[in-house]
Amino acid sequence: MKYYTLGRSGLRVSRLALGTMTFGDDWGWGAEEHTCRELFDAYVEAGGNFFDTADLYTNGRSEELLGKFIADRGIRDKAVITTKFSYNAEPGNPNAGGNGRKNILRAVDGSLRRLGTEYIDLYMLHTWDRLTPPEEVMRTMDDLVSAGKVRHVGLSDVPAWYASRAQTIAEYRGYEPVTALQLEYNLTERNIENEFVDLGTTHGMGIMVWSPLASGLLSGKYRPSEDGAAGEGRLKTVEGSGNPAFEKLTKRNFAIVAELESVASELGRSMAQVAVHWVATQPGIASVLVGATKVAQLEDNLQALDFEIPEELRARLDSASAEPLRFPYNFFGPELQGMLSGSAPLGDKPPGYTPARSVAGEEASAATSGTGNRDQ
Ligand SMILES: NC(=O)c1ccc[n+]([C@@H]2O[C@H](COP(=O)([O-])OP(=O)(O)OC[C@H]3O[C@@H](n4cnc5c(N)ncnc54)[C@H](OP(=O)(O)O)[C@@H]3O)[C@@H](O)[C@H]2O)c1
């Protein structure tokens, strides 16, 4: 396992992070404590140091189990813990959720208690509440850094404009900057390519990917059937829940699964490994959160970086999963851009000059995912 600096920070994290949304069976699709401990041990023994949880996960059980396993192994200094606030666990109390200062200050103490730690390495807003101004969020998070409760801050599930504004406010007011964005990205959900990849790479926010397997779909365990889909796992358990993250059993997605199956078979790798590899090696991706309910699944996923996907096979995955470009992104392709440049040929600048955009993207990506700054 190699370690990379996250975003523009000096925090070194492993390329594969361990998602712990399945720690505890309180939601009916997680794992019991003894299995969670095995998952944790397998990840640590593979060299991983980056853990993701949230106050909401399995009603607080995920934080408790993670904190306990870290303490039992005596690795608090080595472990990089991410947790999040936003979701409300107290019906009827509007200030026990959302992103206002009152809730953040309440939530952080609950997370610290359940995790059994004095500080959180990366504290994240979990989901935009459509209300709280970024000034309030960034100032409060900065206070938590000053108080020693938090080391770095991040944003998950927010619009790109909000993250951009939050980072600008942090830069100009001297607050702790946003080090990471946590977003859904996988072969069935590629919308972040439109805004977030450029945003993260140019403004120092490493992208942490969630649901790299589209909640298990891309492992190939579900099959289309006459009554929708067949297969055992989370997506069947939560079918019809209304949570948009779980609506994956669609005709379009099964076409992507079919192409993935064919590519994985040519590579002699599991579909899960190829899906995780694809997302981990897309531009601007800092770390991928792998999740599991069984140790064999995690062991499978942890081998996702041990091989390469040749260009021709990658192009097949790209093409099967491509999403139509909607406005305004369809104005940024070669046809309309040619109308801006008067179709004059634009060459790359010689070495030593500020690189042209495509090269800048790669460089920024390297800086963000740490490929230019790795510990060997
Ligand atoms: N910020 C956010 O809003 C947000 C949202 C979601 C998740 N997250 C974070 O991201 C982490 C990962 O998300 P995720 O759990 O949705 O990731 P995922 O990789 O898309 O799905 C993981 C699930 O797929 C199945 N699976 C995993 N590996 C497999 C394999 N090799 N073969 C067959 N099945 C396999 C398991 O579920 P079954 O055994 O039930 O099939 C496992 O729990 C979470 O733990 C959490 O930390 C964040």
Side-chain angles (χ1 to χ4, degrees):
M1 193 80 80
K2 287 185 174 145
Y3 305 94
Y4 299 84
T5 50
L6 186 62
R8 221 175 261 151
S9 78
L11 184 67
R12 291 175 165 91
V13 297
S14 41
R15 194 80 178 270
L16 298 180
L18 182 65
T20 66
M21 194 167 69
T22 48
F23 275 25
D25 205 18
D26 302 52
W27 288 347
W29 44 268
E32 300 291 350
E33 178 170 345
H34 65 95
T35 305
C36 299
R37 190 184 285 274
E38 284 174 21
L39 291 168
F40 175 87
D41 286 342
Y43 175 75
V44 172
E45 278 153 28
N49 75 343
F50 198 15
F51 303 91
D52 183 70
T53 183
D55 58 359
L56 158 91
Y57 292 167
T58 52
N59 308 325
R61 187 83 183 118
S62 168
E63 286 186 329
E64 283 170 1
L65 289 175
L66 179 62
K68 186 171 166 188
F69 301 155
I70 288 173
D72 288 351
R73 262 192 105 102
I75 58 162
R76 179 63 193 97
D77 280 349
K78 280 190 186 168
V80 176
I81 302 177
T82 301
T83 192
K84 325 184 193 80
F85 61 87
S86 288
Y87 285 92
N88 195 318
E90 200 186 318
N93 177 2
N95 285 313
N99 302 326
R101 165 173 276 255
K102 186 171 169 69
N103 183 51
I104 299 176
L105 296 179
R106 180 203 62 79
V108 73
D109 286 335
S111 287
L112 289 169
R113 185 171 34 78
R114 284 185 293 275
L115 284 161
T117 183
E118 288 173 3
Y119 67 94
I120 293 160
D121 296 284
L122 176 63
Y123 198 39
M124 291 195 134
L125 175 156
H126 202 153
T127 297
W128 185 40
D129 63 6
R130 303 183 60 115
L131 292 170
T132 313
E135 289 83 349
E136 183 172 336
V137 172
M138 296 311 290
R139 166 69 203 270
T140 308
M141 301 240 261
D142 189 62
D143 287 347
L144 293 181
V145 173
S146 300
K149 295 185 179 189
V150 165
R151 299 288 186 262
H152 299 274
V153 308
L155 302 171
S156 155
D157 307 345
V158 295
W161 68 261
Y162 189 91
S164 177
R165 173 104 180 113
Q167 191 69 314
T168 306
I169 289 165
E171 282 168 3
Y172 283 93
R173 293 199 180 161
Y175 297 159
E176 182 64 30
V178 179
T179 281
L181 297 169
Q182 195 175 117
L183 301 160
E184 181 176 5
Y185 190 32
N186 55 57
L187 280 163
T188 72
E189 175 53 78
R190 296 180 55 182
N191 191 46
I192 71 160
E193 291 170 17
N194 286 321
E195 301 235 356
F196 287 95
V197 171
D198 279 345
L199 174 68
T201 52
T202 48
H203 295 291
M205 298 174 259
I207 296 179
M208 298 166 68
V209 166
W210 61 258
S211 284
L213 297 181
S215 284
L217 175 77
L218 298 171
S219 69
K221 70 209 285 179
Y222 300 95
R223 297 278 148 188
S225 76
E226 277 179 11
D227 58 352
E232 300 262 310
R234 180 196 305 173
L235 285 175
K236 283 306 275 183
T237 311
V238 300
E239 205 170 13
S241 69
N243 183 331
F246 297 148
E247 288 179 9
K248 302 293 187 202
L249 303 172
T250 64
K251 198 171 160 201
R252 169 187 179 268
N253 289 351
F254 277 122
I256 296 168
V257 169
E259 189 66 348
L260 172 63
E261 183 172 26
S262 152
V263 167
S265 138
E266 287 194 38
L267 283 166
R269 289 282 173 167
S270 72
M271 291 168 67
Q273 286 174 21
V274 176
V276 171
H277 185 102
W278 179 87
V279 83
T281 50
Q282 284 290 99
I285 300 309
S287 191
V288 177
L289 300 167
V290 290
T293 57
K294 298 175 186 64
V295 177
Q297 294 174 346
L298 183 65
E299 283 170 348
D300 183 12
N301 303 344
L302 287 175
Q303 292 172 52
L305 302 179
D306 301 350
F307 63 100
E308 299 294 328
I309 303 180
E311 234 168 80
E312 180 257 326
L313 295 183
R314 194 172 188 106
R316 276 170 49 192
L317 293 175
D318 288 347
S319 142
S321 60
E323 294 175 6
L325 270 188
R326 315 260 318 244
F327 177 82
Y329 314 109
N330 55 6
F331 269 51
F332 310 144
E335 297 79 16
L336 282 186
Q337 290 298 303
M339 290 169 70
L340 305 186
S341 64
S343 300
L346 297 178
D348 284 343
K349 290 178 179 163
Y353 282 80
T354 307
R357 188 190 172 282
S358 60
V359 182
E362 280 166 32
E363 284 211 346
S365 163
T368 306
S369 66
T371 46
N373 188 13
R374 65 180 65 171
D375 284 349
Q376 296 292 348

